[in-house]
Amino acid sequence: ISSCCYLNRRLNQLSSHDPLWKRHCKKYWLISDEEKSRRNQGWRSIFISTFSDLGRYIQYYATLKKAWDDLEQYLGQWCPRMIGSLKESVREEDLDAVEAQIHCKLPDDYRCSFRIHNGQKLVVPGLMGSMALSNHYRSEDLLDIDTAAGGFQQRLGLKQCLPLTFCIHTGLSQYMALESVEGRNKYEIFYQCPDQMARNPSAIVMFITGTSYLEWFTSYVNKVVTGGYPIIRDQIFRYVHDKDCVATTEDITVSVSTSFLPELSSVHPPHYFFTYRIRIEMSKDALPENACQLESRYWRITNAKGDVEEVQGPGVVGEFPVISPGKVYEYTSCTTFSTTSGYMEGYYTFHCLYNKDRFFNVTIPRFHMVCPTFKVSTA
């Protein structure tokens, strides 16, 4: 009995030793030394008070808080007007009220994210990326909890699905399945795609974008803050660039990035829509007399079945750009495949401005386009 009393005394002294709680505060709650000083509390009391509020999210909080912090820091530098659209966190009782309203449990990683930021206001540009092509434009906002709850679906084809994003131009949303119904896995995230060949309007095919909220949100943020998505006119554009997809001919470098557009695609009938963005740049070290003008283009387009289509024509998107040392020309175009993947390659023909009799071809590197994983409707 005496030994037990002594042991308990030592455990009590150990658990009250403030420096031991510093590591846990930094690991689980990302509390910095500066924040501790501002709070004017010990590490132990900070850990306990934070745990009493956010304890159910201890396995998610640090990952999601870091993602939000990284995103805010990046937006502050590159897209400052987007910072003002972010909404403050919600309370536990607000999330509980939403669960009572929709009669479904929200996953803890989703709830945890909204304890940090309650999505954003319905504004343009949207936090979850933009896309522009000719007269087609979309920009997706991350919905706040009340707007998401208002869009909760119980209709056939989208039963028990909660919208995560929304585009005011297209009506496009990414949904999260809150239950495993209609062929979906619980907490799977997807774009809906109506089956145009089915008579049943509830026949909805899914283009899957994530297996959980944590994976979906953090992978997107990582792509943004590492420069994986370009910033164009103060907006995040969801073009994906393969670092190997670059070709240099003489002083001219051509690089390509691509994007899949689910809102313009369908599984039945098979019609997969892709857009690509091409960057043509002449080295700044090139001689001034190497300035040239794009004359024509040649494309070799191959689908997953090996079917080949060849396209040749003047200029690009109706233009005949002039390239000189240090200058860059970029343009966007699109293509469709009847298969889930395909690739394009080709060349541009240029003529020299200072020697109009000289023509030469500039290689366009092969670039692949692949539709995301999808599930066919069970309806």
XYZ file of all heavy atoms in Angstrom, residues 168-227:
483
model
N -21.459 28.819 -59.036
C -22.677 29.571 -59.335
C -22.906 29.701 -60.840
O -24.012 30.026 -61.266
C -22.643 30.975 -58.684
C -21.441 31.783 -59.198
C -22.605 30.872 -57.174
C -21.381 33.205 -58.668
N -21.890 29.436 -61.657
C -22.045 29.549 -63.102
C -22.622 28.274 -63.722
O -23.431 28.333 -64.653
C -20.700 29.849 -63.771
C -20.091 31.137 -63.320
N -19.229 31.198 -62.242
C -20.226 32.403 -63.776
C -18.853 32.454 -62.064
N -19.430 33.200 -62.968
N -22.204 27.123 -63.228
C -22.611 25.855 -63.843
C -23.575 25.039 -62.986
O -24.179 24.085 -63.477
C -21.372 24.976 -64.106
O -20.772 24.626 -62.844
C -20.345 25.710 -64.967
N -23.703 25.391 -61.701
C -24.491 24.558 -60.789
C -23.747 23.300 -60.381
O -24.315 22.411 -59.748
N -22.471 23.226 -60.706
C -21.646 22.054 -60.443
C -21.309 21.945 -58.958
O -21.008 22.941 -58.310
C -20.358 22.173 -61.251
C -19.326 21.053 -61.128
C -19.759 19.863 -61.979
C -17.960 21.545 -61.592
N -21.363 20.714 -58.426
C -20.967 20.449 -57.044
C -20.148 19.178 -56.981
O -20.321 18.266 -57.798
C -22.188 20.278 -56.135
O -22.804 21.516 -55.857
N -19.260 19.133 -56.006
C -18.667 17.861 -55.605
C -19.423 17.412 -54.357
O -19.624 18.205 -53.438
C -17.174 18.010 -55.309
C -16.341 18.302 -56.535
C -14.852 18.340 -56.232
O -14.247 17.323 -55.897
N -14.264 19.517 -56.350
N -19.832 16.147 -54.328
C -20.639 15.611 -53.235
C -19.840 14.612 -52.412
O -18.924 13.951 -52.920
C -21.874 14.897 -53.784
C -22.955 15.817 -54.294
C -22.982 16.214 -55.630
C -23.952 16.294 -53.447
C -23.971 17.064 -56.104
C -24.946 17.132 -53.914
C -24.954 17.514 -55.243
O -25.935 18.357 -55.702
N -20.222 14.486 -51.144
C -19.693 13.442 -50.275
C -20.845 12.531 -49.866
O -21.882 13.013 -49.387
C -19.040 14.046 -49.034
C -18.526 12.994 -48.058
S -17.459 13.681 -46.747
C -18.553 14.876 -45.988
N -20.663 11.231 -50.078
C -21.682 10.263 -49.679
C -21.579 10.034 -48.175
O -20.525 9.647 -47.679
C -21.482 8.949 -50.429
N -22.671 10.277 -47.443
C -22.641 10.094 -45.990
C -23.021 8.676 -45.574
O -22.872 8.313 -44.408
C -23.561 11.114 -45.313
C -23.151 12.582 -45.467
C -24.051 13.478 -44.631
C -21.694 12.799 -45.093
N -23.518 7.896 -46.525
C -23.832 6.486 -46.257
C -23.465 5.668 -47.495
O -23.365 6.196 -48.603
C -25.317 6.287 -45.932
C -25.784 6.970 -44.656
C -25.180 6.395 -43.396
O -24.657 5.264 -43.448
O -25.219 7.086 -42.353
N -23.275 4.360 -47.297
C -22.968 3.457 -48.409
C -24.270 2.998 -49.057
O -24.791 1.922 -48.744
C -22.156 2.261 -47.911
O -20.928 2.684 -47.379
N -24.808 3.827 -49.920
C -26.040 3.482 -50.633
C -25.838 3.749 -52.116
O -24.946 4.492 -52.524
C -27.258 4.293 -50.117
C -27.588 3.916 -48.689
C -26.991 5.794 -50.217
N -26.664 3.127 -52.952
C -26.673 3.313 -54.411
C -25.280 3.097 -55.028
O -24.866 3.795 -55.948
C -27.200 4.703 -54.769
C -28.640 4.922 -54.315
C -29.185 6.294 -54.687
O -28.421 7.273 -54.629
O -30.375 6.375 -55.034
N -24.568 2.086 -54.504
C -23.280 1.725 -55.079
C -22.118 2.584 -54.643
O -20.987 2.391 -55.113
N -22.339 3.537 -53.735
C -21.259 4.409 -53.269
C -20.643 3.869 -51.987
O -21.299 3.175 -51.218
C -21.783 5.831 -53.021
C -22.103 6.598 -54.293
C -22.599 7.991 -53.962
N -23.966 7.980 -53.472
C -25.043 8.031 -54.246
N -24.901 8.084 -55.555
N -26.253 8.022 -53.736
N -19.390 4.216 -51.753
C -18.751 3.922 -50.472
C -18.944 5.104 -49.537
O -18.955 6.259 -49.971
C -17.251 3.668 -50.661
C -16.973 2.404 -51.447
O -17.708 1.425 -51.342
N -15.917 2.422 -52.238
N -19.083 4.819 -48.270
C -19.282 5.871 -47.277
C -18.113 6.852 -47.299
O -16.948 6.447 -47.310
C -19.419 5.241 -45.890
C -19.985 6.173 -44.825
C -20.248 5.401 -43.546
C -20.912 6.277 -42.496
N -21.212 5.521 -41.260
N -18.428 8.131 -47.355
C -17.493 9.268 -47.327
C -16.708 9.452 -48.632
O -15.770 10.240 -48.689
C -16.541 9.194 -46.137
C -17.263 9.103 -44.817
C -16.768 8.337 -43.770
C -18.481 9.776 -44.622
C -17.449 8.250 -42.562
C -19.163 9.695 -43.412
C -18.654 8.929 -42.386
O -19.320 8.839 -41.194
N -17.101 8.723 -49.687
C -16.506 8.938 -51.001
C -16.929 10.309 -51.536
O -18.049 10.756 -51.298
C -17.023 7.855 -51.956
C -16.005 7.305 -52.902
C -16.453 5.976 -53.482
O -17.673 5.711 -53.552
O -15.585 5.202 -53.876
N -16.044 10.975 -52.262
C -16.326 12.307 -52.808
C -16.279 12.235 -54.320
O -15.403 11.576 -54.894
C -15.315 13.330 -52.256
C -15.474 13.414 -50.726
C -15.516 14.710 -52.884
C -14.382 14.177 -50.024
N -17.234 12.897 -54.978
C -17.383 12.697 -56.424
C -18.110 13.863 -57.084
O -18.793 14.658 -56.435
C -18.176 11.414 -56.684
C -19.592 11.448 -56.157
C -20.656 11.814 -56.976
C -19.868 11.141 -54.831
C -21.954 11.878 -56.479
C -21.164 11.190 -54.332
C -22.213 11.563 -55.159
N -17.951 13.947 -58.414
C -18.806 14.770 -59.268
C -19.912 13.874 -59.803
O -19.650 12.747 -60.244
C -18.030 15.316 -60.466
C -17.097 16.459 -60.187
C -15.722 16.279 -60.215
C -17.591 17.730 -59.927
C -14.850 17.340 -59.987
C -16.730 18.795 -59.691
C -15.363 18.590 -59.717
O -14.512 19.638 -59.489
N -21.124 14.362 -59.792
C -22.217 13.579 -60.367
C -22.208 13.731 -61.890
O -21.808 14.760 -62.427
C -23.558 14.042 -59.821
C -23.885 15.491 -60.161
C -25.372 15.774 -60.057
O -26.194 14.961 -60.429
N -25.706 16.947 -59.549
N -22.644 12.687 -62.581
C -22.709 12.696 -64.040
C -23.941 11.896 -64.470
O -23.953 10.669 -64.360
C -21.443 12.071 -64.621
S -21.451 11.913 -66.415
N -25.014 12.553 -64.902
C -26.219 11.821 -65.312
C -25.931 10.863 -66.469
O -25.163 11.184 -67.379
C -27.184 12.931 -65.752
C -26.673 14.172 -65.090
C -25.186 14.004 -65.000
N -26.522 9.687 -66.407
C -26.424 8.719 -67.500
C -27.407 9.152 -68.593
O -28.623 9.010 -68.446
C -26.768 7.320 -66.981
C -26.526 6.229 -68.028
O -26.603 6.557 -69.234
O -26.272 5.086 -67.637
N -26.865 9.694 -69.692
C -27.718 10.263 -70.731
C -28.431 9.203 -71.568
O -29.324 9.526 -72.359
C -26.875 11.170 -71.640
C -26.262 12.345 -70.888
C -25.295 13.140 -71.742
O -25.295 13.031 -72.964
N -24.468 13.946 -71.091
N -28.028 7.941 -71.415
C -28.658 6.876 -72.209
C -29.680 6.088 -71.401
O -30.304 5.175 -71.915
C -27.579 5.935 -72.755
C -26.592 6.643 -73.680
S -25.296 5.580 -74.312
C -26.201 4.634 -75.523
N -29.827 6.443 -70.128
C -30.788 5.736 -69.284
C -32.103 6.509 -69.234
O -32.115 7.737 -69.198
C -30.230 5.572 -67.876
N -33.204 5.798 -69.232
C -34.514 6.445 -69.119
C -34.771 6.914 -67.694
O -35.551 7.822 -67.457
C -35.613 5.478 -69.550
C -35.567 5.128 -71.038
C -36.731 4.241 -71.420
N -36.701 3.915 -72.841
C -37.611 3.163 -73.447
N -38.610 2.643 -72.743
N -37.513 2.916 -74.738
N -34.104 6.276 -66.757
C -34.307 6.597 -65.347
C -33.494 7.840 -64.975
O -32.261 7.812 -65.029
C -33.862 5.397 -64.501
C -34.178 5.580 -63.030
O -34.523 6.680 -62.594
N -34.055 4.508 -62.265
N -34.125 8.948 -64.602
C -33.376 10.172 -64.257
C -32.508 10.026 -63.011
O -31.661 10.867 -62.748
C -34.481 11.219 -64.040
C -35.703 10.421 -63.712
C -35.582 9.143 -64.476
N -32.738 8.962 -62.223
C -31.930 8.769 -61.025
C -30.641 8.004 -61.324
O -29.868 7.707 -60.411
C -32.727 8.009 -59.959
O -32.984 6.679 -60.379
N -30.396 7.697 -62.603
C -29.170 6.993 -62.983
C -28.014 7.991 -62.999
O -27.853 8.764 -63.940
C -29.333 6.333 -64.349
N -27.232 7.993 -61.933
C -26.131 8.946 -61.763
C -24.807 8.192 -61.708
O -24.621 7.306 -60.876
C -26.295 9.769 -60.468
C -27.635 10.515 -60.456
C -25.131 10.734 -60.305
C -27.754 11.614 -61.474
N -23.904 8.536 -62.606
C -22.554 7.993 -62.593
C -21.667 8.929 -61.768
O -21.930 10.132 -61.692
C -22.023 7.856 -64.041
C -20.573 7.429 -64.066
C -22.878 6.853 -64.815
N -20.616 8.399 -61.137
C -19.743 9.202 -60.287
C -18.339 9.284 -60.866
O -17.748 8.257 -61.185
C -19.607 8.549 -58.905
C -20.883 8.276 -58.169
S -20.610 7.094 -56.808
C -19.197 7.769 -55.974
N -17.812 10.504 -60.996
C -16.372 10.701 -61.223
C -15.754 10.937 -59.847
O -15.976 11.974 -59.227
C -16.111 11.893 -62.131
C -16.468 11.659 -63.575
C -17.481 12.370 -64.181
C -15.775 10.712 -64.319
C -17.810 12.160 -65.512
C -16.091 10.490 -65.652
C -17.115 11.213 -66.255
N -14.982 9.973 -59.341
C -14.516 10.002 -57.956
C -13.312 10.935 -57.808
O -12.343 10.855 -58.570
C -14.160 8.584 -57.482
C -15.405 7.692 -57.544
C -13.599 8.608 -56.064
C -15.128 6.225 -57.321
N -13.386 11.834 -56.815
C -12.305 12.792 -56.578
C -11.628 12.604 -55.227
O -10.613 13.239 -54.960
C -12.829 14.238 -56.681
O -13.915 14.413 -55.751
C -13.337 14.545 -58.080
N -12.157 11.741 -54.356
C -11.529 11.516 -53.054
C -12.185 10.369 -52.320
O -13.356 10.059 -52.558
N -11.442 9.739 -51.428
C -11.983 8.624 -50.650
C -12.395 9.049 -49.245
O -13.074 8.312 -48.548
C -10.959 7.488 -50.550
O -9.743 8.012 -49.989
C -10.641 6.921 -51.935
N -11.958 10.240 -48.821
C -12.351 10.798 -47.527
C -12.152 12.301 -47.597
O -11.419 12.805 -48.464
C -11.507 10.216 -46.388
O -10.169 10.700 -46.469
N -12.783 13.037 -46.686
C -12.631 14.484 -46.694
C -11.181 14.867 -46.436
O -10.638 15.761 -47.104
C -13.539 15.127 -45.640
C -13.495 16.634 -45.684
C -14.351 17.344 -46.515
C -12.569 17.350 -44.917
C -14.293 18.734 -46.582
C -12.513 18.729 -44.979
C -13.375 19.413 -45.816
O -13.300 20.786 -45.895
N -10.532 14.222 -45.477
C -9.144 14.543 -45.141
C -8.242 14.388 -46.365
O -7.457 15.289 -46.689
C -8.659 13.640 -44.013
C -7.224 13.889 -43.531
C -7.159 15.122 -42.652
C -6.693 12.677 -42.766
N -8.365 13.263 -47.047
C -7.524 13.011 -48.226
C -7.848 13.999 -49.342
O -6.958 14.535 -49.997
C -7.737 11.558 -48.686
C -6.897 11.148 -49.884
C -7.672 11.194 -51.190
O -8.920 11.087 -51.147
O -7.041 11.358 -52.245
N -9.137 14.244 -49.556
C -9.584 15.143 -50.627
C -9.071 16.566 -50.410
O -8.495 17.170 -51.313
C -11.111 15.124 -50.659
C -11.775 16.090 -51.583
C -11.927 15.965 -52.943
C -12.412 17.331 -51.230
N -12.605 17.048 -53.451
C -12.914 17.896 -52.417
C -12.603 18.000 -50.023
C -13.597 19.115 -52.431
C -13.280 19.215 -50.033
C -13.772 19.756 -51.228
N -9.244 17.100 -49.198
C -8.881 18.492 -48.939
C -7.370 18.680 -48.864
O -6.821 19.604 -49.477
C -9.535 18.964 -47.636
C -9.289 20.410 -47.325
C -9.917 21.411 -48.056
C -8.411 20.781 -46.313
C -9.677 22.759 -47.782
C -8.165 22.125 -46.035
C -8.796 23.111 -46.776
N -6.673 17.814 -48.134
C -5.228 18.009 -47.965
C -4.468 17.774 -49.266
O -3.473 18.451 -49.521
C -4.665 17.101 -46.856
O -4.982 15.731 -47.151
C -5.246 17.478 -45.502
N -4.914 16.845 -50.095
C -4.225 16.621 -51.371
C -4.421 17.811 -52.292
O -3.503 18.203 -53.028
C -4.706 15.327 -52.037
O -6.089 15.387 -52.325
N -5.604 18.423 -52.246
C -5.841 19.623 -53.054
C -4.952 20.772 -52.572
O -4.291 21.441 -53.378
C -7.307 20.032 -52.980
C -7.592 21.360 -53.656
C -7.651 21.454 -55.038
C -7.769 22.522 -52.910
C -7.885 22.676 -55.663
C -7.999 23.733 -53.519
C -8.067 23.812 -54.902
O -8.280 25.025 -55.508
N -4.921 20.995 -51.264
C -4.107 22.078 -50.713
C -2.636 21.866 -51.054
O -1.923 22.811 -51.435
C -4.297 22.194 -49.189
C -3.279 23.147 -48.580
C -5.715 22.661 -48.864
N -2.157 20.637 -50.921
C -0.762 20.351 -51.232
C -0.449 20.689 -52.680
O 0.611 21.250 -52.988
C -0.459 18.875 -50.956
C 0.992 18.539 -51.215
O 1.902 19.035 -50.575
N 1.222 17.675 -52.192
N -1.387 20.378 -53.584
C -1.194 20.692 -55.002
C -1.110 22.202 -55.209
O -0.307 22.695 -56.002
C -2.362 20.110 -55.809
C -2.081 19.919 -57.275
C -1.260 18.675 -57.507
C -1.179 18.336 -58.979
N -0.330 17.179 -59.230
N -1.928 22.938 -54.484
C -1.945 24.399 -54.628
C -0.649 25.008 -54.100
O 0.032 25.765 -54.804
C -3.162 25.007 -53.884
C -3.057 26.533 -53.846
C -4.464 24.589 -54.551
N -0.288 24.687 -52.859
C 0.825 25.396 -52.209
C 2.186 24.979 -52.747
O 3.178 25.701 -52.553
C 0.782 25.223 -50.674
C -0.523 25.743 -50.103
C 1.014 23.774 -50.261
N 2.274 23.833 -53.422
C 3.542 23.424 -54.030
C 3.663 23.911 -55.473
O 4.627 23.565 -56.161
C 3.710 21.895 -54.002
O 2.591 21.283 -54.675
C 3.788 21.379 -52.570
N 2.689 24.710 -55.930
C 2.754 25.248 -57.284
C 2.275 24.287 -58.344
O 2.497 24.512 -59.540
